[in-house]
Amino acid sequence: MLAELTTVSYFTWVDWCVFGAVLVATAAAAVYGSWRLKKNRNRPSSLDYLLMGRQLTLPLFVATMVATWYGGIFAVNEITFNYGIYNFVTQGVFWYAAYLVFAFVIAKRLARYSSYTLPDLTAQMFGPKSAKVSAVLTFCYIAPVAYVLSLGMFLHMVFGISVLAGMIWGTLFVGLYSAWGGLRSVVFSDIVQFFVMCSAVGLVVVFSVGHFGGLSFLKANLPASHFTLTGGETWLSTLIWGFIAFSTLIDPSFYQRCFAARSPKVVQKGILISTVIWFLFDFCTTTGSLYARAVLPQAEPGQAYFFYAIQLLPVGLRGFFAAGILSIILSTLNSFLFIAANTLSFDLLRSRFKNVVLSNRIAVFAVGAFSIVMAQFFHGSFKEIWLVLGSYFSACLLVPILMGYAAPHRISDRLFVWSTTLSAAAMTVWYVLPRYALVQAVDPFYIGIVVSVIVILIGRKPTSADVSHITDW
């Protein structure tokens, strides 16, 4: 069996060269994106800076969509380590269903709007007050606290520096290229990271099967619950992830890429191709994490997969794998950092700043500093921070926005605000209630959804058919 490590300082010079080469390629791609931004215009417009002038092609769309989705790699490893294939169900299958709904239902409807951000879309659908409320919820959801923490942990494991120092230096690096080149730098750096991260997780599966054997080895060395769909959790708590997965239908990063795409066809085809790649990627990360649990059962859940792979792979590929994990984190951190800055500068403070590009560049570093500070107060598991933030965002916004697509003009600006604020308030009250049996059995997410539905059903505007029925009566 392999032994758990505390550092990867034993890398050979070959590993460090490979690792450094990937970092250089990422930086070069980001610089290229910045050069492309300047080439188009000496002073870029907000459309060029925020959405690449809506010129995102199919290959770029697929690469940046796939790369953006996996920054919480340590969280995925933690869930698989503790619960087994439950991770593939909650972080995979539920999401694939949401992706398909987005591709076949939402993509064409988005073409009706020429929006910049999700809050900008809600302004067009419902009104200015709705935009402010959705911007606050979006910022809380998209602020990259977990990904800043992941980066700090990674740099701590690789270089031995403190987690805080890793968060500061890593976030500064990402912030510099994201702020300077806008979405172009984010997308072009994602291309490099896409190829490295997909190759890295695939290598772990190949070498694991070759070294330890296949399914029979895993079954002999893992708890039986690791091969059940719920992983020992209740079906009610498992289904919460299904609802959270459908937050994809209102996910800010999804919308940003869709707003930047050349056409609805690029969006639809891109999501379908990305879903296939996401399936393969999830299979590789879940399988690799299962091997890590089987081989290093006493390891720290969030770090076991990393240390397992570092010891498993041969010289050269160790550095490539480490670069792959870094690519996974960076590709999500740069997107979330950039979108959170968009939300702060464009959606919340636009009226106070005339230069959208300059204010967004400043906001990138403000969001980075905020995320580092918040990460210092974060002592729970990655699973919990995902669950809480995802629950609030989904429960408050999912119902009214989907209703906006299905029945335009039936939800007023005021009703949207009431629906979201009462939903959030109800969830908060449920969280702080004494832990009676009923309170423990029903997750706050369900309370938020129910309140949102009730408020909208009571307050929505009647259709002409409803008015006709009342008149006849």
Side-chain angles (χ1 to χ4, degrees):
M1 294 294 179
L2 302 174
E4 184 182 359
L5 300 176
T6 57
T7 180
V8 293
S9 59
Y10 67 97
F11 274 15
T12 67
W13 66 270
V14 177
D15 294 306
W16 288 117
C17 286
V18 172
F19 182 83
V22 173
L23 276 181
V24 170
T26 299
V31 171
Y32 175 73
S34 177
W35 174 78
R36 286 286 298 271
L37 178 66
K38 290 182 178 180
K39 182 181 178 182
N40 288 345
R41 294 187 180 186
N42 290 329
R43 184 177 180 180
S45 67
S46 56
L47 184 64
D48 286 327
Y49 182 78
L50 299 178
L51 296 175
M52 288 181 60
R54 303 193 197 277
Q55 294 300 310
L56 195 62
T57 61
L58 181 60
L60 294 178
F61 183 91
V62 171
T64 189
M65 281 290 283
V66 173
T68 298
W69 223 237
Y70 287 103
I73 183 64
F74 294 135
V76 170
N77 300 155
E78 178 186 294
I79 295 172
T80 305
F81 190 95
N82 290 327
Y83 303 101
I85 64 170
Y86 168 82
N87 171 74
F88 190 80
V89 175
T90 60
Q91 309 304 315
V93 175
F94 288 148
W95 298 82
Y96 310 144
Y99 303 150
L100 295 178
V101 172
F102 196 104
F104 290 108
V105 179
I106 303 298
K108 291 183 179 179
R109 287 173 167 80
L110 271 184
R112 303 172 186 169
Y113 305 94
S114 296
S115 304
Y116 283 72
T117 63
L118 178 63
D120 187 36
L121 174 68
T122 58
Q124 295 181 41
M125 295 175 72
F126 308 105
K129 294 179 181 178
S130 301
K132 294 299 182 183
V133 172
S134 64
V136 172
L137 289 168
T138 296
F139 182 83
C140 294
Y141 174 71
I142 207 76
V145 179
Y147 308 111
V148 165
L149 181 58
S150 293
L151 182 57
M153 289 173 57
F154 173 86
L155 295 177
H156 169 70
M157 290 187 289
V158 174
F159 298 106
I161 63 177
S162 69
V163 174
L164 176 59
M167 288 192 292
I168 293 173
W169 288 110
T171 304
L172 179 62
F173 171 73
V174 176
L176 284 172
Y177 75 73
S178 300
W180 193 253
L183 185 59
R184 279 184 173 83
S185 286
V186 171
V187 169
F188 284 112
S189 63
D190 281 351
I191 296 172
V192 176
Q193 293 157 353
F194 165 78
F195 286 106
V196 176
M197 62 187 265
C198 291
S199 302
V201 297
L203 286 171
V204 174
V205 175
V206 171
F207 277 87
S208 294
V209 174
H211 192 86
F212 295 106
L215 185 60
S216 58
F217 170 80
L218 294 176
K219 286 189 172 181
N221 291 275
L222 291 172
S225 62
H226 273 50
F227 296 95
T228 63
L229 296 181
T230 62
E233 297 284 286
T234 66
W235 275 107
L236 199 61
S237 62
T238 301
L239 287 175
I240 293 172
W241 287 106
F243 287 104
I244 292 176
F246 272 82
S247 67
T248 298
L249 304 182
I250 54 171
D251 185 86
S253 58
F254 238 73
Y255 275 74
Q256 184 199 44
R257 271 35 175 201
C258 294
F259 291 146
R262 280 186 171 178
S263 68
K265 288 186 178 180
V266 168
V267 172
Q268 189 175 64
K269 289 181 180 178
I271 292 175
L272 294 177
I273 295 171
S274 298
T275 300
V276 175
I277 300 174
W278 280 321
F279 171 83
L280 296 173
F281 193 94
D282 289 333
F283 173 81
C284 290
T285 53
T286 301
T287 302
S289 295
L290 289 174
Y291 275 99
R293 168 62 190 266
V295 176
L296 299 174
Q298 302 303 318
E300 181 71 25
Q303 302 176 12
Y305 175 69
F306 178 80
F307 287 127
Y308 163 75
I310 289 298
Q311 297 170 83
L312 174 72
L313 296 172
V315 171
L317 291 183
R318 294 170 182 170
F320 185 79
F321 173 79
I325 296 299
L326 180 59
S327 295
I328 292 171
I329 298 170
L330 292 182
S331 59
T332 301
L333 176 56
N334 61 20
S335 293
F336 277 46
L337 189 63
F338 188 66
I339 296 171
N342 296 170
T343 305
L344 181 61
S345 64
F346 186 82
D347 296 310
L348 289 172
L349 301 175
R350 192 189 335 175
S351 60
R352 300 190 178 186
F353 299 98
K354 294 181 179 180
N355 191 326
V356 173
V357 175
L358 177 61
S359 64
N360 196 90
R361 284 171 172 163
I362 296 172
V364 166
F365 297 101
V367 171
F370 169 79
S371 299
I372 292 171
V373 171
M374 291 302 296
Q376 295 301 296
F377 297 97
F378 173 57
H379 302 292
S381 70
F382 286 104
K383 177 189 171 187
E384 290 304 315
I385 193 170
W386 273 1
L387 196 58
V388 172
L389 294 180
S391 293
Y392 268 96
F393 181 76
S394 303
C396 295
L397 292 182
L398 187 60
V399 174
I401 290 180
L402 292 185
M403 279 287 291
Y405 285 126
H409 312 302
R410 295 198 66 188
I411 299 179
S412 66
D413 194 21
R414 184 179 180 183
L415 179 59
F416 184 99
V417 173
W418 275 107
S419 171
T420 52
T421 53
L422 289 177
S423 177
M427 291 179 68
T428 303
V429 169
W430 199 260
Y431 268 116
V432 300
L433 282 176
R435 299 288 86 186
Y436 298 124
L438 175 62
V439 176
Q440 289 182 329
V442 180
D443 191 89
F445 173 83
Y446 293 112
I447 302 300
I449 282 286
V450 169
V451 170
S452 180
V453 171
I454 291 173
V455 172
I456 287 175
L457 289 178
I458 293 175
R460 74 190 192 284
K461 297 177 182 178
T463 63
S464 56
D466 295 332
V467 174
S468 175
H469 175 74
I470 294 171
T471 304
D472 293 341
W473 184 83

